[in-house]
Amino acid sequence: MMNSLGSFSSSYPFFIFFLLFAINGLILISADNDEISGSTRLELIHRNSLKLSGKVGFDIRPKTQMENFKQLHHRDVLRRQNMVSRRRKTIETAASVSMPMHSGSDFGTGEYFVEAVVGTPGQKFLLVADTGSELTWVKCKYDNCGRRPECLNKPLDKTVFNADHSTSFQTVPCSSQTCKSELSDLFSLARCPTNASPCAYDYRYMEGSAALGIFAHETVSVDLTNGVKRKLGNVLIGCTQTVQDDQGSFKGADGVLGLGSGKHTFTARIAEDFGGKFSYCLVDHLSPMKQSSYIVFGQNRVQTPLSGSIQQTKLVLGGAYGSNYGVKVSGISVGGSLLDIPFRVWDENLGGGTILDSGTSLTFLAEPAYKAVTAAFDKFLSTQEKLPADGGPFEFCFNSAKYAESLVPRVKIQFADGAVFEPPVKSYILDVAPQTLCLGFVAGSWPGISVIGNIMQQNHLWEFDVEKSTLSFAASSCT
């Protein structure tokens, strides 16, 4: 029995061979216990030594020096590959993926855009960063003409992803189990003209927009926070050939980056290599494109100066929330007073609940919560000159001539585990037109889920840890 390294029990005299199996297998160790001195001598024996003749596994010695070097080279190559593999994993554990993120204000939209490079060679696109979407898709042209010269010589349409020009573009067959079963939640279609035909989809969004196209696996090129560039393979994307967008949800965008918590999302794929954590910090929603922040995937969160302490609350995943990121809200206070809102409004099992969604601009409150919040603003609103809503989504708008932020009661959203989110006043008193401000909450149906939209999230760091089911947040300038 071994008591410690280099020290053996003296009750059993022995002579034991220890085989040290390094990748190149060059050295064996003969261990001889010296009972007088109490020490152990280790003799290093080359694997091609005559001492090992006749022993199992060592009876085939190289006949020539060249054959010996060939064997050494083969083992050295395997050893180096193992070292590179381990080093890459170490790098990816220490590093994270970083993608630039901008407000869509320059395009007249309330979404936030992420820059993504898709395909081989890479083509750059602006995608809507959407935590409420499972499918990552780009506007796409696909003629299924392969790599034939007559196809490759066609002029590129730079407004869409040219799938035929990408060597890494691989369609998902409609006859596959992936199409028939796994992608059914992503609105895969049953039509299948031939076994090799691409799996088609008709992906529908809650506000009525839709994306129609075919599923494929593709490569997305990403930058790591340590300066290394990396190709992320086998990413499920949608090659969208038709977009239905009467609401302008995709205005200025080339597609959507699916950041939901589902199995086939971009976040799920990137978690395989970098862990199930991502963070973003949304700049002011009126910021120009040149003012950007980042979305970061991995252990490192967005590097941004914080103006408050980091708080943490529980993420509720799956169930009634599907692939959305649910949170346990316990109440809302206005001006320091906790409002009388029925608890069932916050309970996803009783027809309510709350999600955090980067793809929704405004904040929707289920009707009982909306009425309580707007009633709490009555005193403030009574001091302002009320303006007609002009058919917009807001019920309470007023002239900004007499407005002073110091008069606005502060809103706090309280979570069940004690964390408190206090958005800046500009996140719920919105500048919607010249001399026109509006209370930035929208009434949602009841029963129904409340949604904390991206304007309410602005100027805060948000970190989603899917593995631990936690949401961390803190106030920040996001610059």
Side-chain angles (χ1 to χ4, degrees):
M1 180 179 290
M2 185 167 67
N3 297 329
S4 61
L5 186 61
S7 175
F8 296 81
S9 170
S10 59
S11 57
Y12 301 101
F14 56 83
F15 180 85
I16 301 177
F17 275 104
F18 285 89
L19 302 183
L20 180 65
F21 288 104
I23 289 297
N24 61 2
L26 283 176
I27 297 172
L28 293 96
I29 300 176
S30 169
D32 184 9
N33 186 35
D34 186 338
E35 297 186 15
I36 298 176
S37 63
S39 63
T40 298
R41 295 189 301 273
L42 300 176
E43 179 185 3
L44 298 181
I45 306 173
H46 194 278
R47 63 175 292 116
N48 293 334
S49 170
L50 291 174
K51 286 187 176 183
L52 299 176
S53 297
K55 296 190 179 295
V56 177
F58 299 94
D59 50 352
I60 303 178
R61 300 176 66 247
K63 295 178 180 179
T64 66
Q65 185 72 340
M66 180 57 71
E67 186 179 335
N68 182 41
F69 276 113
K70 287 180 179 178
Q71 290 182 8
L72 293 179
H73 175 259
H74 176 69
R75 289 191 292 267
D76 288 346
V77 168
L78 293 178
R79 178 178 175 83
R80 182 180 179 278
Q81 288 175 347
N82 185 61
M83 288 178 174
V84 170
S85 176
R86 284 184 296 179
R87 180 175 182 271
R88 180 178 294 132
K89 287 190 179 297
T90 301
I91 289 173
E92 292 177 356
T93 299
S96 301
V97 172
S98 179
M99 303 172 78
M101 194 173 192
H102 319 267
S103 164
S105 176
D106 284 355
F107 298 98
T109 180
E111 329 301 333
Y112 283 82
F113 295 158
V114 172
E115 296 177 20
V117 178
V118 182
T120 307
Q123 301 170 49
K124 183 180 287 188
F125 300 101
L126 279 180
L127 306 181
V128 174
D130 188 2
T131 57
S133 179
E134 291 184 80
L135 179 63
T136 293
W137 61 265
V138 290
K139 294 176 183 176
C140 179
K141 182 179 181 182
Y142 176 66
D143 296 326
N144 191 24
C145 67
R147 305 287 296 168
R148 297 195 301 273
E150 63 268 25
C151 299
L152 297 180
N153 291 334
K154 290 181 180 178
L156 289 177
D157 182 352
K158 295 185 178 180
T159 64
V160 298
F161 175 56
N162 296 274
D164 291 300
H165 287 257
S166 174
T167 59
S168 49
F169 184 83
Q170 298 289 331
T171 59
V172 176
C174 61
S175 58
S176 67
Q177 196 62 29
T178 298
C179 179
K180 294 178 179 179
S181 177
E182 294 183 30
L183 296 179
S184 59
D185 288 343
L186 297 182
F187 303 98
S188 62
L189 302 178
R191 68 170 184 254
C192 193
T194 69
N195 287 342
S197 297
C199 181
Y201 62 82
D202 182 352
Y203 194 85
R204 298 279 163 171
Y205 292 87
M206 292 291 289
E207 78 281 2
S209 58
L212 293 82
I214 57 173
F215 289 108
H217 287 106
E218 206 17 311
T219 293
V220 176
S221 300
V222 295
D223 293 327
L224 304 190
T225 51
N226 60 5
V228 175
K229 292 187 180 297
R230 165 80 192 277
K231 287 185 178 295
L232 193 70
N234 201 37
V235 178
L236 181 73
I237 70 163
C239 171
T240 292
Q241 296 152 314
T242 303
V243 177
Q244 298 174 358
D245 186 22
D246 295 337
Q247 305 298 319
S249 301
F250 311 124
K251 186 179 179 181
D254 302 310
V256 171
L257 187 68
L259 300 175
S261 63
K263 179 181 178 181
H264 298 289
T265 62
F266 183 75
T267 45
R269 170 60 189 92
I270 210 166
E272 294 175 14
D273 293 0
F274 297 93
K277 184 187 291 187
F278 71 95
S279 61
Y280 57 70
C281 199
L282 304 182
V283 296
D284 190 293
H285 72 286
L286 297 177
S287 298
M289 279 283 289
K290 64 181 180 181
Q291 186 175 336
S292 65
S293 182
Y294 290 87
I295 182 169
V296 173
F297 301 88
Q299 298 306 306
N300 302 326
R301 60 167 59 106
V302 179
Q303 296 302 304
T304 181
L306 303 180
S307 51
S309 59
I310 297 177
Q311 299 187 71
Q312 189 176 92
T313 190
K314 180 179 175 58
L315 274 179
V316 185
L317 305 174
Y321 291 128
S323 64
N324 292 290
Y325 296 96
V327 287
K328 285 281 188 184
V329 172
S330 61
I332 296 178
S333 67
V334 176
S337 298
L338 185 64
L339 305 183
D340 183 16
I341 301 172
F343 176 75
R344 64 180 182 276
V345 169
W346 312 123
D347 193 329
E348 70 275 15
N349 298 313
L350 297 176
T354 309
I355 63 171
L356 204 74
D357 184 22
S358 67
T360 299
S361 298
L362 304 176
T363 291
F364 288 77
L365 296 178
E367 189 176 14
Y370 176 78
K371 287 183 175 180
V373 169
T374 52
F377 274 87
D378 276 347
K379 184 178 180 180
F380 163 74
L381 293 170
S382 66
T383 65
Q384 307 298 312
E385 179 190 345
K386 191 172 182 180
L387 296 176
D390 263 348
F394 305 111
E395 185 178 357
F396 300 99
C397 297
F398 55 92
N399 193 312
S400 61
K402 298 181 179 180
Y403 172 72
E405 185 175 306
S406 60
L407 300 176
V408 180
R410 272 30 179 192
V411 172
K412 294 182 181 181
I413 299 176
Q414 303 181 4
F415 297 102
D417 44 18
V420 178
F421 168 46
E422 184 174 359
V425 171
K426 67 177 181 178
S427 293
Y428 52 90
I429 300 294
L430 306 183
D431 190 348
V432 300
Q435 295 188 313
T436 304
L437 299 173
C438 295
L439 183 60
F441 296 98
V442 180
S445 60
W446 176 251
I449 291 175
S450 297
V451 182
I452 301 175
N454 61 41
I455 294 178
M456 197 66 71
Q457 297 176 46
Q458 68 183 349
N459 293 127
H460 274 73
L461 165 72
W462 299 93
E463 182 180 66
F464 299 75
D465 191 332
V466 178
E467 292 178 352
K468 295 181 179 179
S469 296
T470 58
L471 173 71
S472 301
F473 60 93
S476 172
S477 63
C478 297
T479 56

